[in-house]
Amino acid sequence: MVSQLSSLTSSFSLADLRINKERLLQRLDQLAQIGAISDGGVCRLALTDEDKAGRDLVVSWMRELGLTITIDQIGNVVATRAGLEAGPPVMTGSHIDTVATGGRYDGNFGVLAGLEIIATLNENNILTRHPIAVAFFTNEEGARFQPDMMGSWVFSGGFPVENALTSVGVDGTTVGENLERIGYVGTVPCGSQPVKAFVELHIEQGPVLELEGFQIGAVTGVQGMSWKEYTVKGVSNHAGTTPMHLRHDAGYGASAIAIAARNLALDMGGNQVATVGSMQVKPGLINVIAQEASLTVDLRNTDETCLKDAEARMNTKIAAIAKAEGLKITSRSLARFEPVVFDAGIIDLVTKTAEGLGLSVKSMPSGAGHDAGLIAPMAPTAMIFVPSAHGISHNVKEYTAPKDLENGANVLLQVLLQLAI
């Protein structure tokens, strides 16, 4: 390996450096076989046996690349390539856990593109001034344990590791006992690893880039998010003999909340969105008025003031629904993140780098939450998006064309080089 950047021959320019697309695609395919489900999808929930197998495979690639690997108390894995100078690394990465019916690109692409960049630097004998690290964070999806983006939140010191370890999953087991079971309880204290800069490469998971004909998204920030679970309690009674005006129908109450959330987003307009993604009704019988219902409401906005306004409006609407139907409605917060604004300098660097590679670029916020949003308080941070076919993600039909994957990885390569030299 060369000892300094100036030893590069005059016939070679860092700006000419490109990743190996086929090697990246091969790794994406290999990782996708772990937890593979029908129609090309992937189910690799956090801290399951499948997640362990995925972690083991990625860690084996990190070792092959000669990286120094550390694991912290929440199971975040950081692999570092030394620089000419010691100090905090320029970091990239994402996550490798998936939702139950996920695809092969969400999260995984950002991690494996980082490894591909390391491989490219190694084979071209390029050593950067600052270290470069590739990380994957525990439980980004939140599909098994709450809150989502858990690992990166703990990594940045924003969420106590003790709270994370005692989080109980949908199967009744805890994060801590599952980390122990799969052998990924690390010794590095959480919040103790400084980062010089962080850049996350990700598929868009939305339709904007494809519909508007852009090849790269220079992500300006992440929407704020408010997740709440509501429990609606009424009175179970006969569906045929109970007059409508004498009912206390928990099923109706839950449905009214769902409609209110939809109308709220439409009324507020702008970047406000609202989703009811889960709803259950008990006793769940066709001829019985529901006694209890539970549902989730997901509110998001790029502006914190607007998000708080949306939360207040939902509270008012839900109180009115409870009074009108004679219901008891309680709630608990599942997650709450303020909107994040990314570093202007790195956003500009992403834009100029992509344009320099002849790629069209759109400045845009992220509608989804990402690890980068939790790292942003501790280091200058930004994201790079590549198009998602038909805007589909968290779905077995998730797809990004190989050329778009290559474009994104090459932009990330050049951005990391400029930050690390």
Side-chain angles (χ1 to χ4, degrees), residues 27-90:
R27 282 195 172 130
L28 280 165
D29 183 66
Q30 285 181 258
L31 184 54
Q33 303 314 306
I34 299 174
I37 56 178
S38 60
D39 298 322
V42 181
C43 176
R44 202 164 52 241
L45 299 179
L47 309 183
T48 57
D49 290 343
E50 291 78 15
D51 186 28
K52 171 181 167 49
R55 286 167 171 260
D56 289 348
L57 178 61
V58 175
V59 168
S60 74
W61 288 331
M62 290 171 165
R63 290 199 179 103
E64 288 172 8
L65 292 168
L67 304 179
T68 299
I69 299 168
T70 62
I71 304 174
D72 70 12
Q73 297 162 304
I74 198 63
N76 296 317
V77 176
V78 178
T80 305
R81 184 179 192 264
L84 288 168
E85 300 175 2
V90 174

Side-chain angles (χ1 to χ4, degrees), residues 215-230:
Q215 294 164 296
I216 295 292
V219 185
T220 56
V222 177
Q223 287 194 123
M225 181 176 69
S226 172
W227 284 5
K228 281 192 175 181
E229 179 185 69
Y230 292 92

Side-chain angles (χ1 to χ4, degrees), residues 4 84 88 103 129 187 227 243-244 277 279 315 359 365 381:
Q4 55 186 352
L84 288 168
R129 179 168 291 111
T187 57
W227 284 5
M244 298 302 291
M279 184 184 295
N315 290 339
L359 303 172
T381 298

Side-chain angles (χ1 to χ4, degrees), residues 17-32 57-58 61-62 64-65 81 104-105 108-109 111-126 402 405-406 409-410 413:
L17 202 61
R18 299 292 183 271
I19 61 100
N20 183 326
K21 178 181 71 175
E22 296 308 319
R23 184 167 55 199
L24 173 59
L25 294 176
Q26 183 179 34
R27 282 195 172 130
L28 280 165
D29 183 66
Q30 285 181 258
L31 184 54
L57 178 61
V58 175
W61 288 331
M62 290 171 165
E64 288 172 8
L65 292 168
R81 184 179 192 264
R104 63 173 57 194
Y105 305 103
N108 306 293
F109 172 48
V111 176
L112 299 187
L115 295 187
E116 172 54 33
I117 286 165
I118 298 296
T120 300
L121 297 179
N122 284 355
E123 66 190 9
N124 286 278
N125 296 318
I126 297 168
L405 298 172
E406 182 182 23
N410 279 326
L413 166 63

